[in-house]
Structure formats: structure tokens, C-alpha cells
Amino acid sequence: MEKIFSKYEQIKAFFKEKYNSLSILDRYVLKQLSDVFILGVIIFTSIIFASETFTQLIKQISLYGIPFHIALMMIILNLPQVFVLTIPISTLFATVMTVNDLSLKSEITIFKACGISIERVARPIFCFALLMTVVSFCINEFVVPIASTQSKSLAIYSLEQKHIPENKMNFTVKDIDKDNNLKRLFYAQWCKDKTLNNVTVIDISNPKNIQIVQAKKGATSDYGWKFTDGVIYTISKNGKIFNTSFFEESDVSFGIGDVNEMVKENTSEFNFFKLMKHIKKQKGHLEKKVKLEYEINLFDKLALPITTLALAIIGVPLAITPPRVRYNRGFLFSILIIFIYYVIRALSLNLGETGAIHPLFAAWAPVIIISLIGGVLFYKKAFKI
């Protein structure tokens, strides 16, 4: 712990020294930029959390029976993925609001009169955007895969344990589907150490027959339910016994569909290089649609962080307000640029998933388009007289 604290202090001292070595102009711009950036992260993270993540929380609690504290922990573990999305948006928001504020206060005009060009004013903004690009990439590469894997493990653990009430005797548990129809009925004489003793399970999920499992012991496993020392009866709907099977150990996939639904393989569990190896390893076994999705996600792991810099490039020239305009247009421009970017992104990703365009271009098209437009606008504002 002392080593970690010492390392933190060294890093803090390094950045403080670098910050103090900056010019007054750079520190002035960076101070305003960082304040608005933090506000943007809070706002946009809250919006995404309220609109998407909170909905998933309610779904997991109501549909899969996951306890609230576990579902909340899964949501927290998914926050790094949200930060990867909000960092580019917040950087754009901070860029536009800062430059627009400088322009409205006529500070841009004063800088020009003092021989300070727009390019010089924008330099700390681009450096900040580049730093946020690196931060976004590091979060996406090193934090998101670990957090996603932990979230998946919590989902499996919760679904495995949800039917085992500890230290109860002579109890029954109903397993109900989405339409509130009974699928299975569990009875156990008592439960100790997460193990059901003298358990009986009546499975009516199959419309063709009824299955009855009687066993001395039962517990959940990664593959479903594990029963020991028991018998399985398969009975037709009219009461005729089809089959009777005795067993010492048997794995039955009761409820395993819930687990498969909750923990589908997700590319967020891989960083760039691991996903590349995974695609090569599964190349001959993946469907064309799945392969295209994987390849798009692979290239998007690089393109999405770079979006931070691209949005800063287009944000600077659009935020410079003409002298006759005396109101703040920064927020409106931020929303407009974000809307245009996500329209282009959604279109290119959909075209890539259908195979209409190459996965590499599908992931990078929004970045290229925004960068080109931003580069032209910035050149006209900063260098063209």
C-alpha cells in the first residue's frame, strides 16, 4: 500500500511540475477546459446511466431474479464502458464551451491583437484532447475487459444461487417463465452449505412430457444442477412412464437458459490484441454476421478513442463566434455535432454489419469524416485570411 501511495505521489508531483512549467495562456485555457470537462463527464454519464444502464438494472432484478446489491455492483462494473463513450463527448463539450466563452468575452480578438494566433490558443486544447484519447484507450484496453469479466462472473454466481435458500426445511421453490407460467417446482427437505437434501424436482417445461428428478442431494454448478444418488422418471402427459434412470451423479440444465441469456460472449471482455487472437482462432467457426461484428468491434477499439481528438478539431472552429453574435452557442453546437457524429456512426456500423463496406472503414468512417471537416474548418479559421 505504501508503494502504491508513493507511486501516486510521484506521478502527482510530475504532472504538477509539468503544469507549472506551462505558459500563463496554456494554464488559463486548460483550467477552463478541465472544469467544463468534469461537468460534461458527470452530465453525460448520468444521462447514459439513466437511459440505458438503469433500465438494465431493473430488467436484471425483475426478469432474472438477481438481488439488488449484486445487480448494482454489475452496473458499477459496467461504468468504465460508459466512460469510454462519455470522454469524447465531454471533450467536445468542454472544447466548444471554452472557446465560445473566450470568443464572447472578446478574448480571442485580444489574443489576435497581441499577435497570438488561433492555432496557438487551440494548442493546449488539442494536447488535452490527445491526453483524453490516451486515457480513453487505456480504460478500454485494461479496465473494461476486467470489469466486464467480473460482471459476467457475478451474473453466473447470482443465477446459480438464486434457487438455494440457506438453512430452510421442507420448502418449495417455483421456477416461472417470462409469461408467468410454471416451468419447474423444486422441493427439498432441508438445505445446508448451499446443498439441497432429499430433493424432488418436477419439470413441466417440455410440452411433450413431464420429468421428475428425485435425489438425496442437489446443488448448482456451471452446467446447471448437479444431483447425486437419485432417479429420473420421464412421464407422458397422460401418465405413462417412458423411462426410469438411476444415477450416482447427474448434471441437469435446469435454468441454464437464463445463464446463457445473461452471459453471452461479449467483445468488451477482450482488449484489442486478445480480440484479434480470438477472431483468428475462431475464424473458421464463426458465422459471417458474427465475424463482421467482431471485426468492426476490433477496429472500433482504436477508432473510438481517436474520436476524442477528432471532435476537438471540429469543435474549435465552430465555437469561434462572430463579433456580431452576443449569445453563447456552445451548448447547441455541442448537441448538433454529437447528433451528426452518432448518425454517421450508426449508419457506417450498420453498413459494416451487413457487409456493404469493409469493417475497417465502418469503424473509422465517422472519425475520418469528422476529422476532414474539422481540419478544413480549422484551417479557414486559423490560417486563411
Side-chain angles (χ1 to χ4, degrees):
M1 192 67 182
E2 292 181 1
K3 290 183 178 179
I4 296 174
F5 183 75
S6 176
K7 194 69 175 177
Y8 168 76
E9 289 296 328
Q10 291 177 8
I11 295 173
K12 182 180 177 181
F14 172 78
F15 280 106
K16 186 176 181 180
E17 181 184 352
K18 291 296 181 182
Y19 180 78
N20 291 332
S21 65
L22 296 174
S23 66
I24 296 176
L25 173 62
D26 290 338
R27 279 184 283 175
Y28 178 69
V29 174
L30 286 174
K31 177 65 171 61
Q32 295 190 59
L33 195 69
S34 58
D35 290 344
V36 182
F37 173 79
I38 294 172
L39 177 63
V41 170
I42 295 172
I43 292 173
F44 293 115
T45 301
S46 301
I47 292 173
I48 294 176
F49 178 85
S51 60
E52 296 182 9
T53 318
F54 187 73
T55 304
Q56 294 177 7
L57 172 63
I58 299 300
K59 178 181 177 182
Q60 289 164 359
I61 293 174
S62 60
L63 186 59
Y64 300 110
I66 294 178
F68 178 82
H69 67 283
I70 293 182
L72 184 60
M73 183 60 67
M74 290 170 61
I75 295 303
I76 294 173
L77 289 170
N78 285 327
L79 279 179
Q81 295 185 56
V82 179
F83 289 145
V84 173
L85 296 175
T86 56
I87 285 176
I89 301 172
S90 301
T91 303
L92 169 67
F93 179 68
T95 299
V96 174
M97 294 296 289
T98 299
V99 175
N100 198 222
D101 186 58
L102 293 174
S103 184
L104 284 174
K105 293 177 179 178
S106 300
E107 290 178 299
I108 295 289
T109 304
I110 296 172
F111 290 150
K112 287 182 179 179
C114 295
I116 301 174
S117 65
I118 292 176
E119 181 271 333
R120 178 63 185 86
V121 176
R123 196 179 301 171
I125 297 175
F126 293 150
C127 290
F128 180 84
L130 183 61
L131 176 63
M132 290 302 104
T133 298
V134 175
V135 170
S136 178
F137 176 78
C138 290
I139 293 175
N140 204 24
E141 281 294 288
F142 304 113
V143 180
V144 171
I146 296 173
S148 296
T149 303
Q150 290 297 320
S151 178
K152 180 177 180 178
S153 299
L154 278 176
I156 295 175
Y157 171 80
S158 178
L159 288 171
E160 285 176 349
Q161 302 299 323
K162 70 176 183 178
H163 290 311
I164 305 184
E166 187 70 14
N167 297 323
K168 286 190 177 181
M169 298 183 65
N170 297 318
F171 61 87
T172 58
V173 178
K174 296 179 181 179
D175 189 7
I176 299 173
D177 62 16
K178 297 178 182 180
D179 299 322
N180 208 31
N181 296 319
L182 180 66
K183 292 193 298 183
R184 301 173 192 92
L185 183 64
F186 294 78
Y187 166 80
Q189 191 172 11
W190 80 89
C191 178
K192 185 177 181 181
D193 298 328
K194 297 298 182 182
T195 300
L196 302 175
N197 295 276
N198 295 336
V199 59
T200 300
V201 182
I202 302 175
D203 181 13
I204 58 174
S205 59
N206 191 329
K208 295 182 180 179
N209 56 62
I210 299 172
Q211 193 175 58
I212 299 175
V213 179
Q214 290 182 319
K216 288 185 177 181
K217 292 184 179 181
T220 56
S221 70
D222 293 341
Y223 305 99
W225 286 83
K226 191 178 190 68
F227 295 104
T228 56
D229 297 330
V231 59
I232 300 176
Y233 303 99
T234 304
I235 306 172
S236 66
K237 292 293 184 179
N238 57 14
K240 181 180 179 181
I241 297 178
F242 285 152
N243 187 27
T244 302
S245 302
F246 294 90
F247 61 85
E248 292 183 0
E249 286 191 359
S250 178
D251 289 317
V252 184
S253 60
F254 293 150
I256 202 66
D258 291 342
V259 176
N260 292 334
E261 182 66 24
M262 281 287 297
V263 298
K264 289 179 180 177
E265 190 174 64
N266 196 321
T267 54
S268 64
E269 297 172 36
F270 304 96
N271 60 27
F272 180 81
F273 296 103
K274 286 186 178 180
L275 181 56
M276 184 187 297
K277 291 180 181 178
H278 181 74
I279 293 173
K280 289 181 179 179
K281 184 178 179 180
Q282 301 291 333
K283 190 174 182 180
H285 306 285
L286 294 175
E287 298 179 5
K288 183 179 179 181
K289 183 179 179 180
V290 177
K291 182 174 178 293
L292 288 173
E293 290 178 359
Y294 276 26
E295 290 179 345
I296 291 172
N297 288 328
L298 174 68
F299 297 124
D300 194 49
K301 286 183 179 293
L302 298 178
L304 190 57
I306 296 295
T307 303
T308 306
L309 186 58
L311 291 175
I313 292 173
I314 197 173
V316 171
L318 288 177
I320 298 175
T321 306
R324 62 182 178 274
V325 178
R326 306 314 305 169
Y327 61 91
N328 195 319
R329 307 183 302 178
F331 184 77
L332 293 177
F333 272 130
S334 299
I335 300 301
L336 179 62
I337 297 169
I338 292 169
F339 174 75
I340 293 173
Y341 166 74
Y342 277 106
V343 167
I344 297 173
R345 177 177 169 83
L347 180 62
S348 65
L349 292 181
N350 286 331
L351 290 174
E353 289 174 358
T354 58
I357 59 177
H358 193 276
L360 177 62
F361 185 71
W364 280 89
V367 181
I368 294 171
I369 294 171
I370 293 294
S371 298
L372 288 175
I373 296 174
V376 172
L377 293 176
F378 183 77
Y379 174 78
K380 290 182 177 180
K381 287 283 186 179
F383 300 106
K384 196 172 181 180
I385 301 175

